[in-house]
Amino acid sequence: MGLPDVVTRGEGLAVDLATDVERAGLTDEDLVLLAELAKGVTADRVGRSLDVSGRTVRRRLRHICDQIGVATAIEAVAWAARRRLI
């Protein structure tokens, strides 16, 4: 495998990851929420910073999990981190 193959595969991966995010329909606010959770910030504290309730954050997180096909917040954070979104 030569360098052009690696570059091509790398570019394909970037396109695939972008497509995953577009297909999932995640918003910038969703990514902020996931990034804050990755830092260990609680849903209540994230809610205060976004001017919504912690319950709203947890509901939105369940929706994000459904959108990207994972079962837990930890998996959602890992999904976003693997795609270098957070």
Side-chain angles (χ1 to χ4, degrees):
M1 170 166 62
L3 185 58
D5 293 334
V6 172
V7 171
T8 301
R9 288 182 184 181
E11 290 169 358
L13 179 61
V15 170
D16 290 344
L17 295 179
T19 303
D20 284 349
V21 174
E22 288 173 11
R23 218 176 311 155
L26 298 181
T27 65
D28 289 341
E29 189 171 275
D30 294 338
L31 297 176
V32 167
L33 189 154
L34 291 172
E36 290 301 305
L37 292 175
K39 294 177 194 173
V41 178
T42 66
D44 290 330
R45 185 167 284 176
V46 171
R48 282 193 296 272
S49 70
L50 297 175
D51 201 28
V52 297
S53 72
R55 185 175 181 174
T56 298
V57 170
R58 287 185 286 280
R59 188 177 322 121
R60 184 64 197 153
L61 184 56
R62 280 193 304 274
H63 183 70
I64 291 168
C65 288
D66 290 344
Q67 283 180 288
I68 62 177
V70 300
T72 67
I74 293 170
E75 290 174 333
V77 168
W79 182 93
R82 277 193 307 271
R83 285 156 179 79
R84 297 184 180 164
L85 300 173
I86 58 173

